[in-house]
Every structure is written in C-alpha cells, then in structure tokens.
Amino acid sequence: MANIKSQKKRIITNEKARMRNRAIRSELKTATRAVKDAVAAQDGPKAIEAAHYACKMMDRAVSKGVIHKNQAANRKSGIMKLANTVATEEDRKNYKAPEKKAPVAKGGTKKAAAKAAKIAALEEAAKIKEKNRKATQKAEAAAAKKKAEAAAAEEAAEAEESAE
C-alpha cells in the first residue's frame, strides 16, 4: 500500500473508474449480443432496434472515455452490417427511435432541501428581528417623548418657582 496521500487517493479513484468501465463494457457486450441473437433468429425489426441501441451505448461509452471513438466507429459499422443482413428496407423505414423522456422536475436532494430550509429560517429570523427592531424604536421614541415631557414639566415648574 502506498504511503503518499495523493497516491492513496489515486488508487481509490482508479478503482472507481475501473468498476464503472467494467459495467459499461458489460452493457456494450450485452447490447451486441442482443443484435447477434436477433440476427440468428432472422428477426429484422428487432435486429435494427437492437443495433441502434448498441450504437447509442457505444457513443455513451466514448463520451465517458471507456473506449476510443475509432474503436466505437468500427464496432458500430460491424453491428450495422450484421443487422442489415437480415433487415429489409421496410424494417429500416418502420424503425422509430424511442421518444426522449421529458425532464421531470424533482423535489431535489437532501442537501438542496436543507439549504432551502436554512434560507427559509434565515428569512423568518430576519422578519422577527425587523419586528423587534421596530418595537424597540417605538418604545425608545415613547421613552424619549416622556423624558422630554418630564423635562418640559420640570422646566415649567422651575420657571414658576423662579417667577415667584
């Protein structure tokens, strides 16, 4: 086992990548096998559908860096040639790609929910703080008014005493 911290991290990330790559390669093999099975069964429409799906999977593997783009191109070419041995022109015309799923608005993650709750709590606290601030200002204004009235009354009383 490595002693260097960065090397330990590298070992962990390499293992994660290896497991991901294994899973993707397995999917590619399964998709290719589906094409070969459809060709063996002389099922044209199913072969075309499976070939398109396999091509899609290969493009996805290329985008994730699992296989090289030229390798994917060669494999896709071979699969399509194989599928075209049993598929007719009518099968190709009748093939319809599956519709893309519309994006669904999700509730979010726990982290996003916690962040939203924290923001809501801060806003609530700000409202309470503003309310308390206004009440304090009102009380201070009332106290200042009373003090001013008391001072005015005291001055008036002093003025009366000095006048006498």
Side-chain angles (χ1 to χ4, degrees):
M1 183 69 188
N3 293 327
I4 300 166
K5 187 175 183 181
S6 62
Q7 191 58 35
K8 289 178 182 177
K9 287 182 184 177
R10 174 60 65 198
I11 289 169
I12 291 168
T13 55
N14 285 345
E15 183 62 19
K16 284 181 184 176
R18 187 181 75 83
M19 295 305 287
R20 185 199 68 204
N21 293 347
R22 254 178 73 181
I24 292 172
R25 281 196 191 101
S26 176
E27 280 184 47
L28 289 177
K29 289 177 188 174
T30 304
T32 305
R33 191 179 315 115
V35 176
K36 290 177 181 175
D37 290 345
V39 169
Q42 296 292 314
D43 189 358
K46 194 171 184 180
I48 289 292
E49 185 179 335
H52 281 285
Y53 178 73
C55 291
K56 180 179 174 184
M57 297 306 296
M58 285 185 200
D59 289 336
R60 194 172 290 164
V62 168
S63 70
K64 292 181 187 241
V66 177
I67 60 174
H68 194 270
K69 63 180 182 177
N70 293 353
Q71 169 77 327
N74 289 337
R75 287 188 190 186
K76 290 193 307 188
S77 173
I79 284 175
M80 290 309 288
K81 280 182 184 176
L82 185 64
N84 286 333
T85 59
V86 293
T88 62
E89 191 62 37
E90 190 177 316
D91 293 337
R92 284 185 220 97
K93 284 182 183 176
N94 290 337
Y95 171 73
K96 237 184 182 178
E99 291 187 25
K100 293 183 179 179
K101 295 177 184 174
V104 178
K106 295 183 180 178
T109 61
K110 288 181 183 177
K111 190 174 181 181
K115 188 175 182 179
K118 185 177 179 181
I119 290 171
L122 287 172
E123 288 173 355
E124 186 65 31
K127 287 179 185 177
I128 291 170
K129 195 172 184 180
E130 185 63 31
K131 183 180 173 186
N132 291 343
R133 186 179 295 124
K134 285 182 181 179
T136 304
Q137 287 174 348
K138 194 174 183 182
E140 286 175 355
K145 188 176 178 184
K146 279 185 179 180
K147 191 175 184 182
E149 287 175 359
E154 195 175 304
E155 285 180 19
E158 284 180 18
E160 281 182 27
E161 283 182 21
S162 61
E164 288 179 3

